[in-house]
């Protein structure tokens, strides 16, 4: 696992490239897209065999992915993620978000209103969405406008919102709920948007 020190240095390097080395940052974005594809899509050994492999596949997007797609982490990420979903849809994938994920997106964005242009704002404790809004000089009106357009933009990108599937009426094994929650939280902490109190209902549903 990457140490905190190495992660810090990596983030500093990426932020520096974003601000001062656009060619280097563009390359890093391409690498990141390739990494996402490699982790998301299963394919055969040759690219030709990959064509159409996503037909009929329903891909559920998480909150961080959608927020970047909608531009809440800057235009570079938005462009990269738009290209990614277009590639997936061209291969036949259907993109969706769960209703509780949609609610989580709203919570994250609304949470920015508490600190935007307020005393006590600390960028080291802020999530990526809040840092983005601050960096572009957004005010409360801008945040409310962003909130009001989320559903329309999801529809524009042909991303549907769906309820959580029903649980199986019977099961052969019982799961330790405490250990399961700890594992879910551990996974969520890998996401730079993660704030545990904002995800309480999402963790419960997961």
């Amino acid at each position: 696992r990457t140490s905190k020190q190495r992660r810090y240095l990596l983030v500093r390097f990426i932020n520096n490239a974003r601000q001062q080395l656009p060619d280097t940052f563009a390359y890093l974005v391409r690498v990141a897209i390739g990494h996402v594809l490699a982790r998301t899509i299963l394919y055969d050994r040759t690219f030709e065999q990959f064509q159409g492999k996503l037909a009929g596949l329903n891909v559920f997007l998480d909150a961080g992915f959608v927020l970047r797609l909608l531009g809440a982490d800057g235009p570079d990420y938005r462009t990269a993620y738009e290209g990614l979903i277009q590639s997936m849809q061209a291969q036949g994938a259907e993109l969706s978000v769960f209703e509780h994920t949609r609610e989580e997106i709203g919570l994250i964005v609304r949470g920015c209103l508490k600190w935007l242009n307020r005393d006590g704002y600390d960028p080291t404790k802020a999530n990526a969405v809040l840092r983005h809004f601050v960096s572009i000089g957004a005010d409360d009106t801008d945040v409310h406008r962003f909130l009001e357009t989320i559903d329309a933009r999801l529809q524009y990108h042909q991303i549907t919102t769906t309820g959580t599937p029903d649980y199986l009426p019977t099961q052969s094994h019982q799961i330790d709920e405490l250990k399961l929650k700890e594992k879910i939280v551990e996974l969520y902490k890998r996401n730079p948007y993660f704030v545990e109190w904002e995800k309480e209902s999402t963790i419960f549903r997961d």
Side-chain angles (χ1 to χ4, degrees):
R1 177 175 296 181
T2 305
S3 68
K4 291 183 178 180
Q5 183 179 13
R6 290 180 179 177
R7 187 176 301 174
Y8 171 78
L9 292 174
L10 178 61
V11 171
R12 286 291 302 272
F13 170 74
I14 293 173
N15 284 336
N16 181 69
R18 183 176 183 179
Q19 296 171 7
Q20 302 180 26
L21 303 168
D23 292 339
T24 300
F25 182 73
Y27 174 77
L28 292 173
V29 170
R30 291 195 299 272
V31 171
I33 293 174
H35 179 65
V36 171
L37 282 170
R39 295 188 62 181
T40 305
I41 302 170
L42 297 177
Y43 55 92
D44 294 321
R45 292 183 179 180
T46 63
F47 184 77
E48 290 75 14
Q49 291 176 306
F50 167 70
Q51 299 293 330
K53 287 293 184 180
L54 301 185
L57 179 66
N58 201 326
V59 179
F60 288 87
L61 309 176
D62 67 11
F65 189 106
V66 173
L67 284 165
R68 284 181 168 175
L69 173 65
L70 299 183
D73 201 2
D76 297 311
Y77 278 116
R78 184 187 66 229
T79 300
Y81 278 60
E82 285 177 347
L84 175 58
I85 68 164
Q86 288 168 7
S87 298
M88 296 173 70
Q89 289 169 331
Q91 295 299 328
E94 298 178 4
L95 307 183
S96 302
V97 294
F98 287 122
E99 289 176 353
H100 67 267
T101 302
R102 171 62 184 87
E103 294 171 5
E104 178 189 344
I105 292 167
L107 282 173
I108 292 172
V109 177
R110 280 192 294 273
C112 297
L113 293 169
K114 179 179 180 181
W115 298 106
L116 198 62
N117 300 320
R118 305 289 196 276
D119 293 335
Y121 166 72
D122 184 349
T124 64
K125 298 180 180 179
N127 62 32
V129 179
L130 177 56
R131 290 197 300 271
H132 169 68
F133 282 136
V134 171
S135 72
I136 63 174
D139 56 22
D140 290 6
T141 301
D142 297 316
V143 175
H144 284 295
R145 186 179 298 114
F146 186 97
L147 284 165
E148 292 168 358
T149 61
I150 290 175
D151 291 324
R153 285 189 285 167
L154 288 177
Q155 185 176 8
Y156 171 79
H157 288 298
Q158 300 178 37
I159 299 172
T160 59
T161 302
T162 182
T164 304
D166 294 332
Y167 293 106
L168 295 174
T170 60
Q171 58 183 27
S172 301
H173 305 282
Q174 298 294 322
I175 298 175
D176 187 317
E177 292 188 5
L178 180 59
K179 290 183 178 180
L180 177 60
K181 179 181 178 180
E182 291 174 350
K183 183 61 177 179
I184 292 172
V185 170
E186 178 185 345
L187 293 173
Y188 270 127
K189 284 183 177 178
R190 300 177 186 177
N191 188 327
Y193 297 97
F194 178 78
V195 179
E196 187 166 349
W197 68 264
E198 291 180 347
K199 281 187 174 285
E200 280 296 332
S201 61
T202 304
I203 293 170
F204 174 77
R205 287 171 178 148
D206 288 345

